[in-house]
Amino acid sequence: MCVSAISLIFAANISEMEIKKFKKYMKKTVFMTALLLVVAVFTSCAQQVENMVSGTSSQNGKTVYLIDLSTNSKLDSAVVKNGKFTMTAHAEKDALLGVTVDGSNWFTMFFQDGTPVTIDTDKRTLKGSALNEQLTEYDLQQDSYITEINNLYQELSAMSEAEQEAKMPEYQQKYLAVIEKMKALYRTIFQEHKQSVLPAAFVASALEFFQGDELKEMINPEYPYTQHPFAKKYVEVYRKRTALEDMVGKQFIDLEEPDTNGKMHKLSEYVGQGKWVFVDFWASWCGPCCREIPNVVKNYNKYHSKGFEVVGLSFDEDKNDWLQAINDLQMPWPHLSDLEGWQSVAAKVYGITSIPASLLIDPTGKIVACNLRGDKLGEKLQEIFGE
């Protein structure tokens, strides 16, 4: 699952680029592949634990794999015979493991806590310790929301262009309603299990939905799950993102990058010139960025005449993708990018290590807020400009 990519269908209109990106990211296969890119290992002195992993499957003759999800290494495998399989899990205590049938796009996850587990790969259920049964329940709930969003996409993509345009507001609301349910689920996971490793399994999918104090609390290093090898890399990325908040109250830093026509512009041409400026760090390939852009467009249209400006600083590398996204997402403000991705001038000057990220800068050039997303952007602008 890559939840962030689903936002692409809720832009002002649906483009071929968006559809291709959505299809690329929608399957949970891609979600798990993205998660498996984490390369982290336990310390050599960590406790080794062994237990049996057995289960049932209707896929007779297929191979079942047991994977360490932190290192993407195969621990064991077995062929399904007479609807059953048995493997041995030998791994570090609390390692996050996954069981999958060859050709399936689903991993049944569990923590290596020494308790034998029994898995039904058809129903995707697990019997084991209370911790792992709870993990499975949460994972299936998460997947049900992904399915809801996938269904919305399927319905919308089957419509004509005119129908899509007419139905877009309705589907945006349906989509946002599902997102709120997902956020509620993640809040439950992180608040009720903060003293266990359980939230580690959801860090990669959950953190992108939160910001500010709520995000800081979720990545609090005092909580055990933040030190788990599977979660550690993601936690560090979001910890760096919150560091942008340290710039609030300081003057913006000037930089220079080309516009869409290749002409060089300084950020100071737009910032500190008597307008409130929202500096948006984004990229066409960034699902969460694209999900947020319709909200920025709405606020731009509402407050631009009152002195509100937006400047987009893209982390793209492909100019055609950059220009296509600007057109498809109907972003009428100035855009700058040196097309150097994470090595861009913007990334280096502002220390950006993850996107979306943003700064709200007052008419004198002082940074007054950062990472305003969703309702928080509109609320801040209403505070500044009124209705």
Side-chain angles (χ1 to χ4, degrees), residues 292-323:
E292 183 62 19
I293 284 170
N295 180 53
V296 180
V297 170
K298 179 183 70 175
N299 283 288
Y300 177 87
N301 292 336
K302 184 175 182 179
Y303 295 109
H304 181 61
S305 63
K306 296 183 178 183
F308 177 58
E309 184 60 88
V310 178
V311 178
L313 299 181
S314 171
F315 284 52
D316 276 284
E317 296 182 10
D318 187 294
K319 186 171 184 178
N320 289 332
D321 287 348
W322 178 39
L323 298 180

Short mmCIF file of all heavy atoms in Angstrom, two decimals, residues 292-323:
data_model
loop_
_atom_site.label_atom_id
_atom_site.label_comp_id
_atom_site.label_asym_id
_atom_site.label_seq_id
_atom_site.Cartn_x
_atom_site.Cartn_y
_atom_site.Cartn_z
N GLU A 292 -2.26 17.15 -1.21
CA GLU A 292 -2.46 18.41 -0.53
C GLU A 292 -2.69 19.59 -1.49
O GLU A 292 -3.29 20.60 -1.12
CB GLU A 292 -1.25 18.71 0.37
CG GLU A 292 -1.33 19.97 1.19
CD GLU A 292 -2.48 19.96 2.19
OE1 GLU A 292 -3.01 18.86 2.51
OE2 GLU A 292 -2.88 21.06 2.64
N ILE A 293 -2.22 19.46 -2.71
CA ILE A 293 -2.26 20.59 -3.64
C ILE A 293 -3.67 21.14 -3.89
O ILE A 293 -3.85 22.36 -3.93
CB ILE A 293 -1.54 20.23 -4.96
CG1 ILE A 293 -0.03 20.27 -4.71
CG2 ILE A 293 -1.92 21.18 -6.10
CD1 ILE A 293 0.82 19.71 -5.81
N PRO A 294 -4.71 20.31 -4.06
CA PRO A 294 -6.06 20.89 -4.21
C PRO A 294 -6.45 21.80 -3.04
O PRO A 294 -7.15 22.81 -3.24
CB PRO A 294 -6.96 19.66 -4.29
CG PRO A 294 -6.09 18.59 -4.86
CD PRO A 294 -4.74 18.84 -4.25
N ASN A 295 -5.99 21.47 -1.85
CA ASN A 295 -6.26 22.32 -0.69
C ASN A 295 -5.53 23.65 -0.81
O ASN A 295 -6.08 24.72 -0.49
CB ASN A 295 -5.82 21.59 0.58
CG ASN A 295 -6.06 22.40 1.83
OD1 ASN A 295 -7.16 22.89 2.09
ND2 ASN A 295 -5.01 22.58 2.63
N VAL A 296 -4.29 23.63 -1.31
CA VAL A 296 -3.53 24.85 -1.50
C VAL A 296 -4.17 25.70 -2.60
O VAL A 296 -4.29 26.92 -2.46
CB VAL A 296 -2.06 24.54 -1.86
CG1 VAL A 296 -1.27 25.83 -2.07
CG2 VAL A 296 -1.40 23.71 -0.76
N VAL A 297 -4.61 25.05 -3.67
CA VAL A 297 -5.29 25.77 -4.76
C VAL A 297 -6.54 26.47 -4.24
O VAL A 297 -6.79 27.64 -4.56
CB VAL A 297 -5.66 24.79 -5.90
CG1 VAL A 297 -6.57 25.48 -6.92
CG2 VAL A 297 -4.41 24.26 -6.59
N LYS A 298 -7.31 25.77 -3.43
CA LYS A 298 -8.54 26.36 -2.88
C LYS A 298 -8.22 27.61 -2.08
O LYS A 298 -8.89 28.64 -2.23
CB LYS A 298 -9.24 25.32 -2.00
CG LYS A 298 -10.52 25.84 -1.34
CD LYS A 298 -11.15 24.79 -0.43
CE LYS A 298 -10.30 24.56 0.80
NZ LYS A 298 -10.95 23.62 1.76
N ASN A 299 -7.22 27.54 -1.24
CA ASN A 299 -6.86 28.70 -0.41
C ASN A 299 -6.22 29.81 -1.23
O ASN A 299 -6.42 30.99 -0.95
CB ASN A 299 -5.92 28.25 0.72
CG ASN A 299 -6.68 27.55 1.83
OD1 ASN A 299 -7.40 28.16 2.59
ND2 ASN A 299 -6.51 26.23 1.91
N TYR A 300 -5.46 29.43 -2.25
CA TYR A 300 -4.88 30.43 -3.15
C TYR A 300 -5.99 31.23 -3.85
O TYR A 300 -5.96 32.46 -3.89
CB TYR A 300 -4.00 29.74 -4.18
CG TYR A 300 -3.41 30.68 -5.22
CD1 TYR A 300 -2.20 31.33 -4.98
CD2 TYR A 300 -4.05 30.88 -6.44
CE1 TYR A 300 -1.65 32.18 -5.93
CE2 TYR A 300 -3.50 31.72 -7.39
CZ TYR A 300 -2.31 32.38 -7.14
OH TYR A 300 -1.77 33.22 -8.09
N ASN A 301 -6.98 30.52 -4.37
CA ASN A 301 -8.09 31.20 -5.05
C ASN A 301 -8.87 32.10 -4.11
O ASN A 301 -9.38 33.15 -4.51
CB ASN A 301 -9.03 30.16 -5.68
CG ASN A 301 -8.37 29.43 -6.84
OD1 ASN A 301 -7.45 29.93 -7.47
ND2 ASN A 301 -8.85 28.22 -7.12
N LYS A 302 -8.96 31.71 -2.85
CA LYS A 302 -9.74 32.47 -1.88
C LYS A 302 -9.02 33.72 -1.40
O LYS A 302 -9.65 34.78 -1.20
CB LYS A 302 -10.09 31.57 -0.69
CG LYS A 302 -10.99 32.24 0.34
CD LYS A 302 -11.39 31.24 1.43
CE LYS A 302 -12.34 31.88 2.44
NZ LYS A 302 -12.77 30.89 3.49
N TYR A 303 -7.70 33.63 -1.23
CA TYR A 303 -6.98 34.72 -0.57
C TYR A 303 -5.96 35.44 -1.45
O TYR A 303 -5.35 36.42 -1.00
CB TYR A 303 -6.26 34.18 0.68
CG TYR A 303 -7.19 33.68 1.75
CD1 TYR A 303 -7.31 32.31 2.02
CD2 TYR A 303 -7.98 34.58 2.49
CE1 TYR A 303 -8.16 31.85 3.00
CE2 TYR A 303 -8.84 34.13 3.48
CZ TYR A 303 -8.92 32.76 3.73
OH TYR A 303 -9.78 32.31 4.71
N HIS A 304 -5.75 35.00 -2.68
CA HIS A 304 -4.73 35.63 -3.53
C HIS A 304 -5.00 37.12 -3.72
O HIS A 304 -4.07 37.94 -3.65
CB HIS A 304 -4.67 34.92 -4.89
CG HIS A 304 -3.63 35.49 -5.81
ND1 HIS A 304 -2.30 35.50 -5.50
CD2 HIS A 304 -3.75 36.09 -7.03
CE1 HIS A 304 -1.62 36.07 -6.49
NE2 HIS A 304 -2.48 36.44 -7.42
N SER A 305 -6.23 37.49 -3.93
CA SER A 305 -6.57 38.90 -4.16
C SER A 305 -6.36 39.76 -2.91
O SER A 305 -6.30 40.99 -2.99
CB SER A 305 -8.02 39.03 -4.64
OG SER A 305 -8.91 38.57 -3.64
N LYS A 306 -6.24 39.09 -1.75
CA LYS A 306 -6.04 39.82 -0.50
C LYS A 306 -4.56 39.92 -0.12
O LYS A 306 -4.22 40.48 0.94
CB LYS A 306 -6.81 39.13 0.63
CG LYS A 306 -8.32 39.14 0.43
CD LYS A 306 -9.04 38.53 1.62
CE LYS A 306 -10.55 38.59 1.44
NZ LYS A 306 -11.27 38.05 2.62
N GLY A 307 -3.69 39.36 -0.96
CA GLY A 307 -2.27 39.47 -0.69
C GLY A 307 -1.58 38.17 -0.34
O GLY A 307 -0.51 38.17 0.29
N PHE A 308 -2.16 37.04 -0.75
CA PHE A 308 -1.58 35.73 -0.48
C PHE A 308 -0.95 35.17 -1.75
O PHE A 308 -1.57 35.13 -2.81
CB PHE A 308 -2.66 34.77 0.03
CG PHE A 308 -2.18 33.36 0.27
CD1 PHE A 308 -1.15 33.10 1.16
CD2 PHE A 308 -2.78 32.29 -0.38
CE1 PHE A 308 -0.71 31.80 1.40
CE2 PHE A 308 -2.36 30.99 -0.14
CZ PHE A 308 -1.32 30.74 0.75
N GLU A 309 0.32 34.75 -1.66
CA GLU A 309 1.03 34.19 -2.80
C GLU A 309 1.56 32.81 -2.44
O GLU A 309 1.77 32.48 -1.26
CB GLU A 309 2.20 35.10 -3.19
CG GLU A 309 2.97 34.67 -4.43
CD GLU A 309 2.11 34.61 -5.67
OE1 GLU A 309 1.98 35.63 -6.36
OE2 GLU A 309 1.55 33.52 -5.94
N VAL A 310 1.75 31.98 -3.44
CA VAL A 310 2.35 30.66 -3.28
C VAL A 310 3.54 30.56 -4.22
O VAL A 310 3.48 31.05 -5.35
CB VAL A 310 1.34 29.54 -3.60
CG1 VAL A 310 2.00 28.17 -3.48
CG2 VAL A 310 0.12 29.62 -2.70
N VAL A 311 4.61 29.96 -3.75
CA VAL A 311 5.77 29.67 -4.60
C VAL A 311 6.08 28.19 -4.45
O VAL A 311 6.27 27.69 -3.33
CB VAL A 311 7.00 30.51 -4.20
CG1 VAL A 311 8.20 30.12 -5.08
CG2 VAL A 311 6.71 32.00 -4.34
N GLY A 312 6.11 27.47 -5.54
CA GLY A 312 6.42 26.05 -5.52
C GLY A 312 7.89 25.80 -5.78
O GLY A 312 8.44 26.27 -6.78
N LEU A 313 8.56 25.09 -4.88
CA LEU A 313 9.95 24.68 -5.06
C LEU A 313 9.97 23.16 -5.23
O LEU A 313 9.80 22.42 -4.26
CB LEU A 313 10.80 25.10 -3.86
CG LEU A 313 10.87 26.61 -3.60
CD1 LEU A 313 11.76 26.90 -2.39
CD2 LEU A 313 11.40 27.37 -4.81
N SER A 314 10.14 22.73 -6.47
CA SER A 314 9.99 21.31 -6.79
C SER A 314 11.28 20.52 -6.60
O SER A 314 12.37 21.00 -6.88
CB SER A 314 9.49 21.15 -8.23
OG SER A 314 9.54 19.80 -8.62
N PHE A 315 11.10 19.26 -6.19
CA PHE A 315 12.21 18.33 -6.04
C PHE A 315 12.21 17.32 -7.19
O PHE A 315 12.73 16.22 -7.06
CB PHE A 315 12.11 17.60 -4.69
CG PHE A 315 12.53 18.45 -3.52
CD1 PHE A 315 11.99 19.71 -3.31
CD2 PHE A 315 13.48 17.99 -2.63
CE1 PHE A 315 12.38 20.49 -2.24
CE2 PHE A 315 13.88 18.76 -1.55
CZ PHE A 315 13.33 20.03 -1.36
N ASP A 316 11.63 17.71 -8.29
CA ASP A 316 11.61 16.84 -9.47
C ASP A 316 12.99 16.76 -10.11
O ASP A 316 13.85 17.62 -9.90
CB ASP A 316 10.61 17.38 -10.50
CG ASP A 316 9.20 16.93 -10.21
OD1 ASP A 316 8.88 15.76 -10.49
OD2 ASP A 316 8.41 17.73 -9.68
N GLU A 317 13.16 15.73 -10.93
CA GLU A 317 14.36 15.59 -11.76
C GLU A 317 14.01 15.57 -13.24
O GLU A 317 14.84 15.88 -14.09
CB GLU A 317 15.13 14.32 -11.38
CG GLU A 317 15.67 14.35 -9.95
CD GLU A 317 16.47 13.11 -9.60
OE1 GLU A 317 16.78 12.32 -10.53
OE2 GLU A 317 16.81 12.93 -8.43
N ASP A 318 12.78 15.18 -13.54
CA ASP A 318 12.31 15.13 -14.92
C ASP A 318 11.44 16.35 -15.21
O ASP A 318 10.39 16.52 -14.60
CB ASP A 318 11.51 13.84 -15.16
CG ASP A 318 11.13 13.65 -16.62
OD1 ASP A 318 10.34 14.47 -17.14
OD2 ASP A 318 11.61 12.69 -17.24
N LYS A 319 11.88 17.19 -16.13
CA LYS A 319 11.16 18.43 -16.40
C LYS A 319 9.76 18.17 -16.93
O LYS A 319 8.81 18.88 -16.59
CB LYS A 319 11.94 19.30 -17.38
CG LYS A 319 11.31 20.69 -17.59
CD LYS A 319 12.21 21.61 -18.39
CE LYS A 319 11.58 23.00 -18.48
NZ LYS A 319 12.46 23.94 -19.23
N ASN A 320 9.61 17.18 -17.79
CA ASN A 320 8.28 16.90 -18.36
C ASN A 320 7.28 16.50 -17.28
O ASN A 320 6.13 16.93 -17.30
CB ASN A 320 8.38 15.80 -19.42
CG ASN A 320 9.09 16.27 -20.68
OD1 ASN A 320 9.05 17.45 -21.01
ND2 ASN A 320 9.74 15.36 -21.37
N ASP A 321 7.73 15.67 -16.34
CA ASP A 321 6.84 15.28 -15.23
C ASP A 321 6.46 16.50 -14.39
O ASP A 321 5.31 16.63 -13.96
CB ASP A 321 7.53 14.24 -14.34
CG ASP A 321 7.61 12.87 -15.00
OD1 ASP A 321 6.95 12.67 -16.03
OD2 ASP A 321 8.35 12.01 -14.48
N TRP A 322 7.43 17.35 -14.14
CA TRP A 322 7.20 18.58 -13.37
C TRP A 322 6.14 19.46 -14.04
O TRP A 322 5.16 19.86 -13.42
CB TRP A 322 8.52 19.31 -13.22
CG TRP A 322 8.49 20.63 -12.49
CD1 TRP A 322 7.75 20.94 -11.39
CD2 TRP A 322 9.24 21.80 -12.83
NE1 TRP A 322 8.00 22.24 -11.01
CE2 TRP A 322 8.91 22.79 -11.86
CE3 TRP A 322 10.17 22.10 -13.82
CZ2 TRP A 322 9.49 24.07 -11.88
CZ3 TRP A 322 10.75 23.37 -13.83
CH2 TRP A 322 10.41 24.33 -12.89
N LEU A 323 6.35 19.73 -15.33
CA LEU A 323 5.42 20.59 -16.07
C LEU A 323 4.04 19.96 -16.19
O LEU A 323 3.02 20.64 -16.09
CB LEU A 323 5.99 20.89 -17.46
CG LEU A 323 7.32 21.65 -17.50
CD1 LEU A 323 7.76 21.88 -18.94
CD2 LEU A 323 7.21 22.98 -16.77
#
